[in-house]
């Protein structure tokens, strides 16, 4: 397993401290930079990367270290500097070299290293016969074939870090699958799970009984022709790992809102306000922080994220927002420039404990606020039995069940109010906002019956049959 070592320090690692850490390999280890200077690599003679070190990140969001590293992490909550070193699997000295780098930072600046254990400051001599690195060896990928880019991880939670995002881009642009290999004790964050949904990406879980299985589908996997692929039974069906089906109901649930907004181009447009409104409405507080990767390091600011999206346009912007530790919530936002303005695709997920009642009775009021004040195009609300901490375990979790569907004022105008409010179903469409140009809210159920998916499908088919009207 690749070993990631993280130094968590109360002070920013300065140049002198970083240099002291970089000399953990002695004079034989070379140093170079990649990713426009954001990543420093310790390299063996011949150029093979041994340890990749990301630029230190100041975490200013409460609870973020414990969310990603475990509740037993012995470190001050925030602010804290997060400096991550990723050791290569190709060289035995790489892991102790990463540990010594992190240990040297902590010995000077205070704090702690993760994983837990005594920090070392030893010089790590290179005794292995290390082959030169291929010119095509990409950053952060452990095994590269024509079919797959394989990343090996051994940590409690695999987050969508900047280097993992880079590995995903590398795989996608070269028409390869991204396959993340972990032990069966690892969980994914929701952003990482979303990234792995696209075929043929996979979460490959090690299992003592069957070898490997897909942590999202349960399919038993084996290495075939340069990638992990499903094995078949004698009848030709995909074999499912017994470990995947061994899940115990806990009563925990997740409330999921898929929100899409459409804004006209405006110099004064401030993005993120629809998400902030939904968060405030459902949790009585705004988001705690945001970032373009995990860990989340920036305090929440609609102004800053708007500036970022504007500077990146016409390229899209993807970001993550996180809630306060006592009220688990996480959102992903995809911002795109369209021919008519700016679109936000938001997925907000909130975790609820056993016996805790999700705020389902407030969804209609939220839908009206979003429709009348934040240019709502559509919103689908659903409920599922899943972990309160919003991480994804390597076993079966039931899919979400729709609760309601809302269409914004422009969509209803295009469809036609008479057609939109009379679906061929036993549904009562609720008018939201002004009667002259309303939005429509369709309650679909209480989140307990999967039949709601059939109802939603028939509703959307009915709405698509309408003749488009000019605005």
């Amino acid at each position: 397993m690749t070993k990631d070592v993280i130094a968590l320090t109360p002070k920013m690692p300065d140049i002198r401290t970083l240099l002291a850490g970089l000399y953990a390999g002695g004079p034989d280890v070379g140093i170079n930079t990649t990713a426009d200077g954001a990543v420093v690599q310790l390299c063996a003679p011949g150029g093979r990367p041994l340890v990749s070190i990301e630029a230190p990140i100041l975490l200013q969001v409460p609870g973020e270290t414990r969310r990603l590293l475990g509740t037993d992490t012995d470190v001050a909550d925030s602010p804290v500097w997060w400096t991550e070193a990723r050791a290569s699997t190709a060289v035995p000295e790489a892991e102790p070299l990463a540990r010594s780098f992190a240990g040297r930072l902590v010995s000077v600046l205070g704090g702690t290293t993760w994983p837990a254990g005594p920090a070392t400051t030893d010089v790590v001599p290179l005794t292995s016969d290390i082959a030169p690195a291929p010119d095509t060896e990409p950053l952060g990928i452990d095994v590269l074939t024509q079919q797959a880019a394989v990343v090996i991880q051994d940590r409690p939670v695999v987050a969508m870090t900047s280097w993992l995002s880079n590995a995903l881009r590398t795989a996608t642009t070269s028409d390869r699958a991204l396959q993340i290999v972990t032990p069966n004790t690892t969980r994914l964050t929701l952003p990482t799970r979303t990234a792995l949904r696209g075929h043929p990406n996979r979460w490959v879980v090690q299992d003592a009984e069957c070898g490997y299985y897909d942590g999202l589908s349960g399919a038993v996997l084996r290495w075939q022709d340069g990638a992990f692929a499903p094995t078949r039974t004698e009848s030709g069906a995909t074999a499912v790992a017994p470990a995947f089906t061994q899940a115990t109901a806990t009563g925990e649930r997740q409330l999921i809102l898929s929100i899409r907004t459409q804004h006209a181009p405006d110099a004064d447009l401030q993005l993120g306000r629809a998400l902030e409104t939904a968060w405030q409405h459902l949790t009585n507080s705004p988001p705690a922080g945001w970032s373009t990767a995990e860990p989340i390091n920036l305090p929440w600011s609609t102004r800053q994220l708007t500036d970022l999206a504007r500077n990146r346009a016409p390229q899209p912007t993807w970001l993550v927002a996180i809630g306060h530790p006592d009220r688990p919530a996480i959102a992903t936002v995809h911002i795109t420039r369209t021919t008519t303005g700016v679109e936000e695709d938001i997925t907000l997920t909130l975790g609820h404990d056993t016996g805790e009642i999700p705020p389902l009775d407030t969804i209609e009021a939220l839908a009206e606020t979003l429709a009348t004040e934040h240019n709502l195009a559509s919103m689908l609300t659903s409920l599922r039995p899943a972990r309160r901490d919003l991480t994804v375990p390597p076993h079966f979790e039931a899919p979400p069940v729709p609760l309601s569907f809302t269409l914004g004022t422009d969509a209803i105008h295009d469809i036609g109010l008479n057609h939109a409010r009379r679906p061929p179903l036993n549904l009562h469409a609720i008018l939201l906002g002004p009667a002259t140009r309303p939005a429509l809210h369709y309650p679909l159920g209480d989140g307990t019956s999967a039949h709601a998916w059939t109802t939603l499908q028939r509703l959307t088919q009915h709405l698509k049959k309408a003749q488009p009207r000019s605005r």
Side-chain angles (χ1 to χ4, degrees):
M1 283 284 183
T2 294
K3 295 295 185 180
D4 301 333
V5 183
I6 302 168
L8 301 163
T9 60
K11 299 178 182 179
M12 177 182 177
D14 56 19
I15 296 298
R16 289 186 176 183
T17 307
L18 287 172
L19 285 173
L22 293 174
Y23 282 112
D28 293 334
V29 172
I31 299 173
N32 63 28
T33 61
T34 61
D36 296 325
V39 177
V40 177
Q41 290 183 326
L42 302 183
C43 301
R48 178 174 290 278
L50 303 175
V51 178
S52 298
I53 301 159
E54 299 224 3
I57 301 172
L58 176 60
L59 300 189
Q60 305 173 69
V61 180
E64 190 64 355
T65 55
R66 288 176 173 82
R67 182 177 78 90
L68 299 182
L69 301 180
T71 56
D72 58 347
T73 302
D74 184 20
V75 66
D77 194 18
S78 69
V80 65
W81 287 92
W82 172 300
T83 307
E84 183 161 348
R86 187 162 197 268
S88 168
T89 55
V91 182
E93 292 89 345
E95 182 189 342
L97 182 57
R99 278 195 166 275
S100 182
F101 167 81
R104 288 173 175 229
L105 264 60
V106 168
S107 67
V108 175
L109 302 173
T112 188
T113 59
W114 181 92
T120 175
T121 59
D122 298 338
V123 173
V124 181
L126 300 181
T127 58
S128 301
D129 185 14
I130 303 172
D135 293 337
T136 56
E137 185 173 279
L139 181 67
I141 292 176
D142 294 293
V143 178
L144 186 69
T145 70
Q146 291 297 319
Q147 289 72 38
V150 181
V151 173
I152 307 173
Q153 284 282 272
D154 184 10
R155 53 201 299 172
V157 177
V158 175
M160 187 46 60
T161 59
S162 56
W163 70 261
L164 187 57
S165 296
N166 182 72
L168 177 60
R169 283 192 296 270
T170 298
T172 301
T173 56
S174 60
D175 198 28
R176 291 178 169 93
L178 176 66
Q179 301 190 330
I180 302 177
V181 181
T182 76
N184 60 7
T185 53
T186 293
R187 291 167 281 121
L188 307 182
T189 65
L190 288 178
T192 305
R193 175 186 179 172
T194 300
L196 291 179
R197 279 178 176 166
H199 179 77
N201 299 332
R202 291 192 184 278
W203 176 18
V204 182
V205 179
Q206 295 178 322
D207 181 69
E209 184 173 348
C210 68
Y212 300 94
Y213 70 90
D214 190 307
L216 300 181
S217 71
V220 175
L221 305 173
R222 65 182 177 91
W223 187 256
Q224 307 175 58
D225 300 323
F228 286 98
T231 61
R232 306 290 179 181
T233 63
E234 292 183 359
S235 64
T238 299
V240 176
F244 181 76
T245 62
Q246 295 169 0
T248 302
T250 64
E252 297 169 282
R253 291 184 289 179
Q254 293 176 3
L255 177 64
I256 307 165
L257 288 80
S258 300
I259 302 169
R260 187 166 60 91
T261 65
Q262 293 176 322
H263 309 280
D266 188 333
D268 296 325
L269 173 64
Q270 195 166 89
L271 299 169
R273 293 182 64 242
L275 175 60
E276 182 179 80
T277 296
W279 215 299
Q280 184 78 47
H281 184 94
L282 296 169
T283 71
N284 296 317
S285 64
W290 74 285
S291 185
T292 55
E294 296 176 289
I296 310 302
N297 65 313
L298 299 172
W300 176 251
S301 170
T302 57
R303 179 186 58 80
Q304 290 182 351
L305 70 86
T306 300
D307 290 344
L308 175 69
R310 182 174 287 117
N311 291 336
R312 288 187 172 185
Q315 297 300 315
T317 294
W318 181 88
L319 58 92
V320 185
I322 197 75
H324 295 273
D326 59 347
R327 176 68 281 164
I330 192 169
T332 57
V333 184
H334 191 243
I335 302 168
T336 52
R337 186 74 166 88
T338 67
T339 56
T340 58
V342 181
E343 183 173 296
E344 295 173 290
D345 279 305
I346 303 164
T347 301
L348 169 60
T349 306
L350 300 94
H352 298 275
D353 209 346
T354 304
E356 190 176 4
I357 300 176
L360 306 185
D361 57 345
T362 69
I363 298 299
E364 181 184 326
L366 171 61
E368 182 163 20
T369 299
L370 295 176
T372 56
E373 300 179 18
H374 298 288
N375 303 312
L376 178 71
S378 65
M379 180 172 75
L380 175 65
T381 306
S382 55
L383 192 66
R384 66 182 309 208
R387 293 175 63 104
R388 179 182 183 268
D389 66 8
L390 306 179
T391 60
V392 182
H395 60 66
F396 174 76
E397 288 188 315
V401 175
L403 293 165
S404 64
F405 181 64
T406 307
L407 276 178
T409 57
D410 287 345
I412 296 301
H413 177 77
D414 293 344
I415 292 170
L417 179 59
N418 288 335
H419 182 85
R421 69 187 302 183
R422 292 182 174 85
L425 301 162
N426 186 25
L427 286 179
H428 174 59
I430 301 171
L431 273 69
L432 305 177
T436 55
R437 196 178 175 89
L440 281 182
H441 181 70
Y442 303 91
L444 302 173
D446 60 3
T448 61
S449 173
H451 182 70
W453 279 114
T454 302
T455 303
L456 176 63
Q457 183 180 34
R458 294 182 62 190
L459 171 62
T460 55
Q461 289 173 346
H462 168 76
L463 296 172
K464 289 177 180 178
K465 289 179 181 177
Q467 295 295 323
R469 300 173 56 181
S470 60
R471 296 184 183 178

